[in-house]
Amino acid sequence: MAGVTRFDRSAATLFVLFGDLAIIAAQLSYGLITHGTDPLADLPYTAETVVPFLLGWLLVAPMVGVYTARIRESFVETLLAVGIAWLVAALIGVGLRATPWLVGGAPPTFVLVTVATGLVTLLPWRVLVTALSRRG
């Protein structure tokens, strides 16, 4: 399997990576807003909410291969890889929040909403990336 990589080192990959991280942070920040918290006014709380999920994503996404050129060229592979990566990353984030060291806890409704909203925000973005990659 020489030459197989799980992270394509290119400007496009870097752009997609930062887009993914921004979407995850925005999605979770929006959740804070809907619960009456201003994410910018309480940065430590926002960080404790967002960082576990970013860490989960940074751990899982490269292992699943979401940052390969091959994934960016296939709609089916994009949906599968990003979907699986987010599911596992969200469970890692929820697991970290369930520890006594972080605020928020992990009630079942939070788990379901976080997984669902993550899929609803990440998948269209990544489908757009795939469509643009296929155009050239």
Side-chain angles (χ1 to χ4, degrees):
M1 296 193 52
V4 174
T5 180
R6 293 186 182 185
F7 193 91
D8 175 44
R9 289 180 171 92
S10 69
T13 300
L14 195 58
F15 175 76
V16 173
L17 170 64
F18 284 122
D20 290 349
L21 296 176
I23 286 171
I24 293 166
Q27 170 234 332
L28 291 161
S29 295
Y30 179 75
L32 291 173
I33 292 167
T34 63
H35 290 283
T37 299
D38 179 352
L40 297 176
D42 193 352
L43 290 176
Y45 184 78
T46 301
E48 285 190 26
T49 300
V50 174
V51 169
F53 295 92
L54 295 178
L55 290 175
W57 182 257
L58 290 171
L59 176 67
V60 174
M63 290 190 332
V64 175
V66 301
Y67 296 114
T68 62
R70 189 185 92 236
I71 292 293
R72 284 196 305 270
E73 295 178 9
S74 167
F75 289 111
V76 172
E77 288 191 46
T78 292
L79 292 171
L80 288 173
V82 172
I84 290 167
W86 176 247
L87 177 62
V88 176
L91 293 176
I92 290 170
V94 166
L96 290 170
R97 278 180 52 103
T99 66
W101 301 289
L102 296 175
V103 298
T109 53
F110 175 74
V111 176
L112 292 174
V113 169
T114 301
V115 169
T117 56
L119 291 173
V120 167
T121 55
L122 278 171
L123 290 177
W125 152 246
R126 293 305 296 269
V127 166
L128 175 63
V129 167
T130 299
L132 293 173
S133 293
R134 291 170 58 122
R135 281 182 70 198

